[in-house]
Amino acid sequence: MNKLDRPIVLIGGGGHAAVLADLLLRQGETIAAVIAPDEIAERGVFAQLLQLGTAHHRQDSDVAQFTPESVYLVNGLGMMPKSNFRKRLNQAFLAKGYQFASVIATSAEISPFATLEDGVQILAGAIVQAGARIGAHCIVNTAAMVEHDCELGQYNHLAPRATLCGQVCTGDDVYIGAGATLIQCLSLGAGAIVGAGAILTRDLAAGEIAYPARAVIKTIEN
């Protein structure tokens, strides 16, 4: 990827934000500020940023210290099932004219025939194949796979090692858990959830949840 033409303001100080900060640092990007209410220096990547002169602000409103034309935003809040907080935060800043940069790991494999919309985050080892479309502000997490001709709506989250076989189509706000597998040609409505480790073989309507098989753990008595 080409280096961004503006510095970044990173929103969030938790684990997902730390992963993004690490990727951005290794790609030579400048992080002007981290917005997080709590102390961040206990995480090594943030400690390094502070040493480099990155500012730490506490309130989301502190983003206003930077004009929309002077920075890009990166939303470092994790995306959880049934939570729209990350989306609402994005929409609030988009309405003020800010833009969200895409963050794509160097080790991710992205086909030149795939389409990535604004603000996507594609993490280490992820694969996006030819003909796939990743909707705006989606997270394709570590080692997740999006096969050919899949179409993802906005604000989807594919957790680590989730696999979408060819021609899977999703609505907005879909969450696919870690290690889940979706066979080819499925359709998932807006807000659908696929639990971690589930193997999905049929369509999901809007708001439906596919639960995985549950392990039964028993104590062996001697």
Side-chain angles (χ1 to χ4, degrees):
M1 290 183 63
N2 294 328
K3 194 174 187 300
L4 295 173
D5 58 356
R6 308 176 200 170
I8 288 166
V9 173
L10 176 63
I11 301 171
H16 185 66
V19 170
L20 297 173
D22 180 28
L23 292 176
L24 292 165
L25 273 177
R26 284 190 279 166
Q27 292 174 350
E29 301 293 350
T30 299
I31 301 176
V34 175
I35 311 295
D38 301 319
E39 293 298 333
I40 59 175
E42 66 273 10
R43 292 185 183 271
V45 64
F46 291 130
Q48 181 174 337
L49 282 175
L50 294 173
Q51 290 175 357
L52 292 172
T54 297
H56 176 204
H57 299 296
R58 304 282 180 163
Q59 304 295 327
D60 293 341
S61 58
D62 291 327
V63 173
Q65 297 182 37
F66 305 89
T67 65
E69 299 79 20
S70 66
V71 295
Y72 291 113
L73 304 185
V74 168
N75 192 334
L77 302 181
M79 190 182 297
M80 298 299 293
K82 297 184 179 181
S83 172
N84 65 356
F85 181 74
R86 182 175 182 273
K87 180 178 182 177
R88 287 190 287 109
L89 187 67
N90 273 24
Q91 289 176 330
F93 284 117
L94 289 168
K96 295 176 181 179
Y98 290 93
Q99 295 175 276
F100 285 85
S102 293
V103 181
I104 301 174
T106 304
S107 62
E109 295 186 24
I110 313 295
S111 167
F113 303 103
T115 301
L116 308 181
E117 296 184 0
D118 293 340
V120 300
Q121 298 175 3
I122 302 181
L123 302 190
I127 299 173
V128 180
Q129 298 284 29
R133 177 182 292 273
I134 309 298
H137 310 293
C138 286
I139 298 172
V140 181
N141 220 313
T142 306
M145 181 182 296
V146 181
E147 269 295 344
H148 64 87
D149 303 308
C150 289
E151 295 192 11
L152 276 60
Q154 298 184 0
Y155 294 99
N156 281 209
H157 184 187
L158 276 60
R161 295 196 178 279
T163 297
L164 275 59
C165 295
Q167 295 180 272
V168 171
C169 295
T170 70
D172 295 343
D173 309 309
V174 169
Y175 186 95
I176 300 173
T181 299
L182 282 62
I183 70 164
Q184 65 276 7
C185 301
L186 295 183
S187 176
L188 283 70
I193 298 171
V194 181
I199 299 176
L200 189 66
T201 60
R202 69 166 182 85
D203 296 344
L204 289 183
E208 281 194 319
I209 302 174
Y211 293 101
R214 304 297 176 90
V216 177
I217 300 174
K218 294 184 178 181
T219 300
I220 299 175
E221 297 181 2
N222 294 326

